[in-house]
Amino acid sequence: MRQRASISAEDRATVLTVSSAFLELNDLKTHFPVESGFVLKRHVGTVKAVDGVSLSLRKGEVLGLVGESGCGKSTLGRTILQLIRATSGAVILEGRNLNALGGGELRRARADFQMIFQDPYASLSPRMTVFDTLAEAIRAHKKVSRRDMPARVAELMSKVGLLPRAMKKYPHEFSGGQRQRIAIARALAVEPKLIIADEPVSALDVSIQAQIINLIAKLRREMDLTLVFISHDLSVVKHLSDRIAVMYLGKIVELGTPDQVLDHPLHPYTKALVSAVPIPDPKRESQRKRIVLAGDPPSPMNPPVGCPFHPRCAFMMEKCKAQVPPLETWGFDHPAACIRVPEIHGSPDSSSRAQSRDPVA
Amino acid sequence: MAGDALLQVEDLRTYFHTRGGVVRAVDGVSFDIRKGETLGIVGESGSGKSVACYSLLRLIPQPPGRFESGRAMFDGTDLLHCSDEELRKIRGNRLSMIFQDPMTSLNPYMRIGEQLIEPLLLHRDVSRDDAWQQGVAALRDVGIQDGEKRMRSYPHEFSGGMRQRVMIAMALITRPELLIADEPTTALDVTVQAQILELIRKMQCELGSAVIFITHDIGIVSSFCDRVLVMYAGRIIETAPTAQLFYEPKHPYNQALQRAIPALNAKGRDLYTIPGAPPDVSKPMRGCPFAPRCEYAQEKCVTSKIELWDVAPNHRSACLRVKLGEIDLTPAERPDTSAVEDPVRA
């Protein structure tokens, strides 16, 4: 993690950069040094967890962030929220570069963006009642008198579907789904504009998962929240998102609406990812062809030269090893980072979708 | 049916006697599995699916666990009550298990090779060298190259997917007649999951083994299993061939589960939610365990004795109202959702 001792004049300037997007990421990089040795630490390499991500979100948009474990999706989420400081690049929220903020300024800005974590068992303090947890969050943002606090907490609890009379209870007295509601209420306590939810339903059983998904959808409608939804479950992401970004080894490799990315993927990796998810429908499932990728994702410490996906890709050619492919549309309706998109999918001008749909036939 | 059943489980009840009361983790479960068949067991956490299978291998600590009743006949031997010696001859040999978490089920202090060939040295009359050679071949079969070298590695040198491959190689090295897989892919990424499922399927074809596949993911069931048991609160509440389970649900819980997953429901619309939470199995229950959460429940669901009734050919359900013909749960039409629509369909 990088510490900023002082803010240079240059950074000051970028703080004031005006941008039309609500949230904009500009060539964001988060690299971790890898050290070896006990006393004499040597720098042996760099893990490029997030490696050049550029993206912009509208106000009220829900972006789904998908990819395998280790692809950098959680690190990206945390870098946006400044829980991990970026190595370079900018996170611009409503025209303000968060990377350039320090100390007190950042602390004050934090009320604008909040996080919901995967594990509601680990992310709530077991020694604080629901009231304490929520009151602490509310106080962090604005002054509320002791007398008014119970009413504020009760209001928050009702908003996420908890009974206010349970406010004196401790986390262990709640089920997993209810705990996730508490965690969501805590995130909402400061009235944030941006929420990053990191696998918020992955630890929950199916019947409970549906309740939380519905709650997130409802809150989003009511509060006009901008949401980055990180998940490995494509069907959950599709259900909630306006747009989906697919990550592989720290880079976005495809970006578009759920329909574009999941139903008509351009990038060979997205295709493989989509085809690997079993569909709960035996008839359709029996008609599918599955692309089984060989091997595991390569180590982000030592990524392949050129296209990071080329060692596992069925469409790999020599030229794929030559350069990192740019995230481009190649004439199609959404961008993908694969230089062979036009060759694999045919020319977009002949624009028969069927052609581009059936790349492995 | 009984004739060609490889394993027959009758009225299995595994209770845990704890200070907080008697936990009826598995409460009267009966099923059988034929040679070469793939049987899925689905249920949410706490439904008893894992305990039921651990019971078959007697991996339940006793006490606090106890088999209150039942038998599990595997080729003439009752797995629940045979002698330890008899059990050891079967377990890890003709009947093996793949555990959920490959990180904790391999011994971190032992080289992969030593762990891998242990079942062979115990159950087969082979020399160490022969066993070692078979180990190398087994690794190759599960797609691990450079077996000679990998046999001498330790578990921490492997990725999660590789460790799960080792577990599979270990479970299959004795060519078992029955393989029990307890959520073998839950901890893995979908791309690795696809590799592992493919591998289990391939090995199953080659060896003709039967597989019991425990999972909470009904997506996996649809692609992988011939027949499915749905468990709830320690009981089987529905069993049917896979397609029937999906297209003609005969229990409100099964129907509710399908209405609750995003993959089968239209985008943007609210998902169906099952009110309440699963029951506490340490409390006595009357009638149908799902009744308190069921939208079709009536007084008689609580007061009547609930069994697993035949409601259609090969299809059994523990719903009284379905059995009486009072409700029809077949979906009118499935909304066109294609949660994850398929770009690679042939």
Side-chain angles (χ1 to χ4, degrees):
Chain A
M1 224 174 291
R2 198 161 73 113
Q3 277 301 325
R4 266 165 208 282
S6 64
I7 296 168
S8 69
E10 219 173 83
D11 284 339
R12 282 272 175 219
T14 50
V15 171
L16 301 170
T17 309
V18 181
S19 155
S20 57
F22 174 72
L23 173 72
E24 198 170 310
L25 310 181
N26 240 328
D27 197 25
L28 195 62
K29 291 183 182 171
T30 310
H31 295 177
F32 299 107
V34 178
E35 285 165 349
S36 152
F38 182 59
V39 181
L40 295 170
K41 288 217 166 77
R42 296 177 292 128
H43 182 88
V44 293
T46 306
V47 172
K48 300 179 175 176
V50 176
D51 197 24
V53 168
S54 297
L55 197 63
S56 71
L57 261 76
R58 294 188 317 274
K59 177 133 188 67
E61 187 174 14
V62 178
L63 177 80
L65 201 53
V66 302
E68 294 173 278
S69 41
C71 73
K73 54 191 195 300
S74 289
T75 306
L76 177 58
R78 279 156 211 251
T79 306
I80 295 172
L81 295 191
Q82 306 298 317
L83 297 173
I84 299 170
R85 301 307 295 261
T87 309
S88 70
V91 177
I92 299 165
L93 182 67
E94 291 191 307
R96 197 157 57 145
N97 185 358
L98 302 180
N99 284 0
L101 298 181
E105 266 182 309
L106 180 60
R107 205 158 41 241
R108 277 186 295 280
R110 279 194 190 282
D112 285 346
F113 43 94
Q114 285 291 310
M115 181 135 185
I116 301 168
F117 297 91
Q118 172 173 2
D119 187 353
Y121 294 79
S123 60
L124 295 172
S125 167
R127 310 178 101 192
M128 287 167 82
T129 62
V130 178
F131 177 84
D132 294 338
T133 299
L134 297 182
E136 183 185 50
I138 294 169
R139 262 194 303 268
H141 179 43
K142 60 178 171 196
K143 285 205 163 59
V144 174
S145 74
R146 201 173 278 250
R147 217 156 35 108
D148 295 341
M149 193 55 94
R152 268 298 284 143
V153 170
E155 186 191 326
L156 260 179
M157 290 179 75
S158 329
K159 198 179 251 175
V160 297
L162 290 168
L163 292 173
R165 64 180 148 84
M167 72 170 71
K168 293 290 175 200
K169 289 190 179 179
Y170 288 89
H172 74 263
E173 296 174 80
F174 293 92
S175 68
Q178 287 171 320
R179 271 182 243 206
Q180 199 55 294
R181 287 175 194 270
I182 300 170
I184 292 173
R186 180 178 57 185
L188 296 176
V190 298
E191 293 161 21
K193 297 169 183 157
L194 170 71
I195 287 190
I196 296 195
D198 191 357
E199 306 264 10
V201 298
S202 306
L204 306 172
D205 265 318
V206 179
S207 68
I208 309 301
Q209 186 178 320
Q211 298 172 4
I212 300 298
I213 291 173
N214 286 350
L215 173 66
I216 291 174
K218 179 191 113 180
L219 293 171
R220 183 229 162 166
R221 279 195 305 270
E222 287 173 1
M223 304 176 67
D224 196 27
L225 285 173
T226 309
L227 192 69
V228 177
F229 192 93
I230 302 171
S231 178
H232 66 272
D233 187 334
L234 299 187
S235 63
V236 172
V237 167
K238 171 166 187 171
H239 193 79
L240 283 171
S241 308
D242 299 318
R243 274 194 306 160
I244 293 178
V246 182
M247 277 187 83
Y248 190 77
L249 279 182
K251 292 182 162 65
I252 290 179
V253 296
E254 186 155 0
L255 177 67
T257 64
D259 177 61
Q260 289 167 344
V261 173
L262 299 181
D263 299 349
H264 309 104
L266 293 174
H267 198 288
Y269 173 65
T270 316
K271 264 190 234 302
L273 192 64
V274 170
S275 91
V277 179
I279 308 176
D281 184 338
K283 265 185 215 149
R284 291 218 338 254
E285 187 64 38
S286 66
Q287 293 163 351
R288 298 171 91 195
K289 258 193 207 155
R290 180 156 286 150
I291 306 171
V292 177
L293 289 178
D296 297 321
S299 151
M301 194 172 137
N302 194 8
V305 188
C307 172
F309 186 58
H310 84 252
R312 302 170 83 192
C313 182
F315 300 97
M316 195 270 286
M317 291 178 88
E318 269 316 302
K319 62 181 177 185
C320 299
K321 298 180 191 168
Q323 54 157 321
V324 178
L327 188 63
E328 258 181 47
T329 59
W330 316 98
F332 284 84
D333 55 1
H334 68 282
C338 171
I339 53 171
R340 296 207 61 211
V341 163
E343 292 162 43
I344 299 169
H345 295 270
S347 136
D349 308 332
S350 60
S351 76
S352 92
R353 254 311 193 175
Q355 222 176 349
S356 66
R357 281 189 80 157
D358 213 0
V360 280
Chain B
M1 188 101 132
D4 53 343
L6 176 65
L7 171 74
Q8 228 177 337
V9 179
E10 277 165 47
D11 196 36
L12 173 67
R13 285 171 207 270
T14 310
Y15 291 2
F16 292 91
H17 297 262
T18 66
R19 268 196 288 175
V22 180
V23 177
R24 295 166 177 82
V26 177
D27 204 10
V29 161
S30 305
F31 66 90
D32 54 34
I33 179 165
R34 290 183 290 276
K35 283 180 181 149
E37 190 184 25
T38 307
L39 177 70
I41 303 185
V42 294
E44 298 183 79
S45 36
S47 61
K49 55 192 193 301
S50 295
V51 173
C53 289
Y54 282 39
S55 301
L56 300 179
L57 295 163
R58 265 204 252 160
L59 293 176
I60 300 293
Q62 303 181 60
R66 227 173 87 185
F67 302 127
E68 302 292 328
S69 77
R71 39 183 221 154
M73 299 306 292
F74 181 79
D75 194 19
T77 310
D78 183 354
L79 297 173
L80 301 181
H81 302 102
C82 65
S83 69
D84 286 351
E85 196 184 337
E86 274 179 290
L87 180 66
R88 272 197 298 270
K89 274 189 198 147
I90 295 175
R91 191 169 62 187
N93 181 15
R94 301 174 61 192
L95 173 60
S96 39
M97 179 136 185
I98 303 172
F99 295 91
Q100 173 170 357
D101 189 353
M103 317 287 161
T104 53
S105 1
L106 288 170
N107 184 338
Y109 292 114
M110 270 171 87
R111 291 178 199 276
I112 292 292
E114 300 295 328
Q115 306 189 49
L116 184 59
I117 64 171
E118 206 176 14
L120 281 178
L121 297 176
L122 279 173
H123 297 295
R124 297 278 186 277
D125 188 20
V126 291
S127 70
R128 245 195 95 77
D129 283 350
D130 281 352
W132 192 265
Q133 284 317 313
Q134 284 188 46
V136 174
L139 285 184
R140 193 181 53 230
D141 287 345
V142 296
I144 296 178
Q145 307 304 323
D146 204 7
E148 274 295 343
K149 194 176 132 221
R150 290 314 226 160
M151 291 281 278
R152 274 184 276 273
S153 306
Y154 286 94
H156 73 263
E157 299 172 60
F158 284 63
S159 69
M162 296 273 272
R163 274 181 247 194
Q164 199 55 291
R165 281 162 204 273
V166 173
M167 291 287 294
I168 292 171
M170 198 186 304
L172 294 176
I173 199 162
T174 55
R175 310 190 149 245
E177 289 144 75
L178 176 61
L179 176 70
I180 299 176
D182 184 10
E183 308 236 9
T185 59
T186 303
L188 307 172
D189 276 316
V190 284
T191 52
V192 181
Q193 167 174 293
Q195 295 168 3
I196 299 290
L197 293 180
E198 195 76 18
L199 182 65
I200 296 177
R201 201 178 334 223
K202 191 180 124 234
M203 304 300 275
Q204 184 183 16
C205 281
E206 278 170 22
L207 303 177
S209 314
V211 175
I212 296 179
F213 199 94
I214 307 172
T215 179
H216 66 270
D217 184 343
I218 65 174
I220 296 182
V221 167
S222 82
S223 69
F224 199 72
C225 300
D226 305 321
R227 203 153 55 90
V228 186
L229 311 177
V230 183
M231 286 191 69
Y232 187 78
R235 303 163 197 201
I236 297 173
I237 55 147
E238 185 170 356
T239 155
T242 307
Q244 258 165 272
L245 190 91
F246 279 97
Y247 300 128
E248 293 154 40
K250 298 281 188 205
H251 196 287
Y253 176 64
N254 174 22
Q255 185 206 33
L257 280 184
Q258 294 189 35
R259 287 161 69 195
I261 54 172
L264 288 176
N265 294 281
K267 179 178 162 63
R269 225 175 297 159
D270 271 357
L271 299 169
Y272 177 75
T273 56
I274 306 176
D280 181 350
V281 288
S282 65
K283 305 238 161 64
M285 259 177 287
R286 275 176 64 214
C288 172
F290 187 60
R293 306 174 76 190
C294 180
E295 60 178 305
Y296 306 101
Q298 292 181 341
E299 184 61 27
K300 62 179 176 233
C301 297
V302 184
T303 52
S304 311
K305 188 169 166 5
I306 302 294
E307 293 168 46
L308 196 58
W309 294 287
D310 284 309
V311 290
N314 297 320
H315 202 145
R316 309 179 80 195
S317 164
C319 177
L320 180 65
R321 298 202 63 201
V322 165
K323 180 217 167 202
L324 296 174
E326 293 176 357
I327 49 175
D328 180 12
L329 304 173
T330 312
E333 55 169 315
R334 210 175 269 288
D336 178 31
T337 48
S338 13
V340 171
E341 179 55 65
D342 194 352
V344 257
R345 208 173 326 161

